[in-house]
Amino acid sequence: MDAREIDSSRTTGTSVNGAAEGGTSRAPDGTLRARRAPETGKGERLADWADGRLGLYSLAKANMRKVFPDHWSFMLGEVCLYSFLVLILTGIYLTLFFEPSGVEVVYHGSYGPLNGIVMTRAYESTLDISFDVRGGLLIRQIHHWAALVFLAGMLVHMMRVFFTGAFRKPREVNWLFGWTLLMLGLITGLTGYSLPDDLLSGTGVRFADGAILSIPVVGTYLSFFLFGGEFPGHDIIPRFFPIHVLLLPGIMLGLVVAHLVLVFYHKHTQYPGPGKDQKSVVGMPLLPVYTAKAGGFFFLVFGVLAIMGAVATINPVWAFGPYRPDLVTTGAQPDWYLGFSEGLIRVMPGWEINAFGHTLQLGVFIPFALFPIVMTAIAVYPFVEAWVTGDKREHHILDRPRNAPTRTALGVAWLTLYAVLLVGGGNDLWATHFHLSINAITWFVRVAVFAGPALAYVLTKRICLGLQRADRDKVLHGRESGTIKMLPHGEYIEVHEPLTPAQRFTLTQHEQAPPYELGPLVDANGVARRAGPGRRLRARLARALYGPGTRIPKPTAEEYRALTSGDDHHH
């Protein structure tokens, strides 16, 4: 068929081909001519190209409107993330100038007091970064401060997750990811802190070597394997360097990505309140609101770290001098995140066993073994709590810490233990700065290691129960208004303002499930029921942790209606 015989209704560009090609038009001589499609922008073409190969459009459509709750405590995790990014950026810069070599050289550089001193090339390159590389000292200090903030942020973030019960199903795996990140962060901090090979960091490595040597049977072999022979050797810095800049950051980056993916997949937890339930999230969409806030917060964290690096000196390696095995830095202290482990060893009595020509150094080995045991208990706690309570449901609404007094008390007890051991790890500084006896401090820590967590547990639990009672009274009788009223017979009372339904819901939405019980050990036919040791242990723990006396019954609807049926119930 000739093109000129096509019906005019089909020349408007509405056919499939015509639409794809921009339609057709009629020339002056009567012939049909195809119109050129309008030119698309480069950005649109790039987006089409990427979507056709990566499926980005459907992925973005499903996730860019994802809702995130708006609460200040959720920013603690963002502080960790942004500090980690700053660590990577500053670490890349430092890697360009640092030389991880244990070869000894004689220093002839910009820092006069150390000229002519024998040191390793690693220490010399650290001095060069600090005094000769443009911006080197600033980047070094930002890197160190970012490491401290990163670990502090992870600890506080994990405590927020712990106290609010955000680790419960389906987020147990994400809790393990966060715990692994914390442990890897501790090891990464130790390896990075040791790279400059100054007297302070060398003392820390010596401490670690002593702990390794205390391991029975294999301790000597592990030490020789790590250091390539007798301590300190020449291999430890070249070995720490790839571990610090490549292996551990790579694993941590993968865990961070997995952690964020699971946060997206499981949806975000949220604090209790009106309109919030286990199936919906109330908050802001990822794009554009949350993304804009997150971007601004990243630069805020970066700016604060830059200010800290610029005005607050940290780790002045030139003041310590190069490491020598026969010297120890005065007041040698690890960074705060390792004070827990050092405090364990400093306050432990110097017990040892000599048998068959071998010495078992219990004064070092016992605290060295306790550190991973305590940390492992933190890792498995979500699974232990789920087993004791028997709760297998998904939880997307957070607990108020007061409504889970046992868990809150356990968390405060652990933090108390950490604080006590941190004092033990700096017993020499406490003694010199406050003019105290170092023996008195050591014995105080030895007693407080046992008494402190127990006392903190009891006090925290009682405080939580007191806050539960206050919430109960507030729901039933209203909030104290501060208004005093005189009754006709002369009595003065304070007028209470009733709570709004939203406020009452927030205070009473939590569940109070009865603890797990074994039940009767004999059935209706008189046949004894078998209860294994695991079930008996679970029942005892459930009764001790969640039984009578561990919670205040929340007010019921019947109690509220009975109290509010009169006209003067708020007086």
Side-chain angles (χ1 to χ4, degrees), residues 376-398:
T376 301
I378 297 173
V380 301
Y381 179 84
F383 305 95
V384 174
E385 181 178 290
W387 175 67
V388 172
T389 60
D391 189 357
K392 301 184 183 299
R393 299 168 300 166
E394 290 192 0
H395 293 274
H396 304 289
I397 299 295
L398 300 173

Side-chain angles (χ1 to χ4, degrees), residues 15 94 101 107 191 256 264 312 336 381 387 465 473 539 545:
S15 66
L94 295 175
S101 173
Y107 180 71
T191 56
V256 167
F264 264 77
W336 68 268
Y381 179 84
W387 175 67
L465 293 176
D473 292 341
L545 300 179

Side-chain angles (χ1 to χ4, degrees), residues 177-402:
F177 282 169
W179 179 88
T180 307
L181 278 168
L182 179 61
M183 293 300 294
L184 291 177
L186 297 180
I187 301 173
T188 307
L190 174 62
T191 56
Y193 162 88
S194 306
L195 285 177
D197 199 35
D198 60 284
L199 187 56
L200 181 62
S201 67
T203 302
V205 176
R206 182 53 149 170
F207 174 87
D209 179 57
I212 294 171
L213 287 172
S214 71
I215 301 175
V217 183
V218 299
T220 306
Y221 298 98
L222 290 176
S223 176
F224 270 61
F225 174 77
L226 180 63
F227 291 93
E230 290 281 357
F231 178 87
H234 297 285
D235 297 338
I236 190 63
I237 296 175
R239 291 181 179 183
F240 273 176
F241 184 72
I243 293 174
H244 178 73
V245 305
L246 183 62
L247 178 62
L248 294 178
I251 298 174
M252 293 174 70
L253 184 60
L255 287 173
V256 167
V257 173
H259 187 80
L260 295 177
V261 168
L262 286 180
V263 169
F264 264 77
Y265 177 73
H266 291 141
K267 76 181 183 182
H268 215 293
T269 55
Q270 55 188 341
Y271 286 90
K276 301 175 182 179
D277 54 40
Q278 302 289 356
K279 296 183 178 180
S280 61
V281 180
V282 178
M284 304 172 298
L286 178 63
L287 220 64
V289 181
Y290 191 82
T291 302
K293 290 182 65 176
F297 192 49
F298 167 74
F299 289 107
L300 178 62
V301 172
F302 203 157
V304 171
L305 290 174
I307 293 174
M308 294 170 67
V311 303
T313 300
I314 187 170
N315 197 27
V317 295
W318 55 88
F320 306 135
Y323 177 63
R324 283 178 49 182
D326 59 330
L327 297 179
V328 175
T329 305
T330 302
Q333 300 293 313
D335 282 329
W336 68 268
Y337 49 86
L338 291 175
F340 181 97
S341 59
E342 179 144 345
L344 277 169
I345 292 181
R346 286 197 183 192
V347 302
M348 180 72 185
W351 297 343
E352 65 179 33
I353 298 175
N354 295 297
F356 306 105
H358 297 279
T359 300
L360 180 59
Q361 188 58 257
L362 296 178
V364 178
F365 176 68
I366 290 178
F368 182 59
L370 282 176
F371 177 75
I373 291 175
V374 172
M375 297 303 293
T376 301
I378 297 173
V380 301
Y381 179 84
F383 305 95
V384 174
E385 181 178 290
W387 175 67
V388 172
T389 60
D391 189 357
K392 301 184 183 299
R393 299 168 300 166
E394 290 192 0
H395 293 274
H396 304 289
I397 299 295
L398 300 173
D399 286 334
R400 300 174 75 208
R402 66 185 64 183

